Amino acid sequence: MSFSGLEGAPISSMQASFVIDSLHALPAAISVSYWNGTAFAPVSNARIQWATESGKPTRVTFTPVSTGRIRLDLTSRSPGTARGFL
């Protein structure tokens, strides 16, 4: 998942909403990286506030970066299973 906005705009947080039900689980992990002009690099001090209900936002905060591209890498909680849809 990636987001492209204004180049160079400072950003320090993101929100993503997930379906949580008998067939879908929250990701096991979320990694955030930003475009540094050459490649995607990990953000610093990423903290995740996980949603507690389906459709509610999971919020990720991090040290501000100036970029127009953010990438979220999601790790499946149940890889290779029906619940491991990521």
Side-chain angles (χ1 to χ4, degrees):
M1 175 184 303
S2 66
F3 166 78
S4 294
L6 299 173
E7 290 299 321
I11 185 169
S12 62
S13 67
M14 299 202 61
Q15 293 186 152
S17 296
F18 302 98
V19 172
I20 305 167
D21 60 20
S22 63
L23 297 176
H24 303 93
L26 286 171
I30 299 175
S31 299
V32 182
S33 51
Y34 72 100
W35 186 254
N36 66 10
T38 307
F40 280 98
V43 297
S44 299
N45 303 312
R47 289 183 221 129
I48 302 171
Q49 295 172 317
W50 291 101
T52 56
E53 296 178 38
S54 185
K56 298 292 183 186
T58 291
R59 184 174 172 85
V60 183
T61 58
F62 44 87
T63 302
V65 293
S66 292
T67 189
R69 300 179 201 171
I70 291 287
R71 183 173 71 190
L72 300 179
D73 291 310
L74 309 175
T75 303
S76 176
R77 186 169 299 275
S78 303
T81 69
R83 284 181 57 93
F85 66 97
L86 297 176

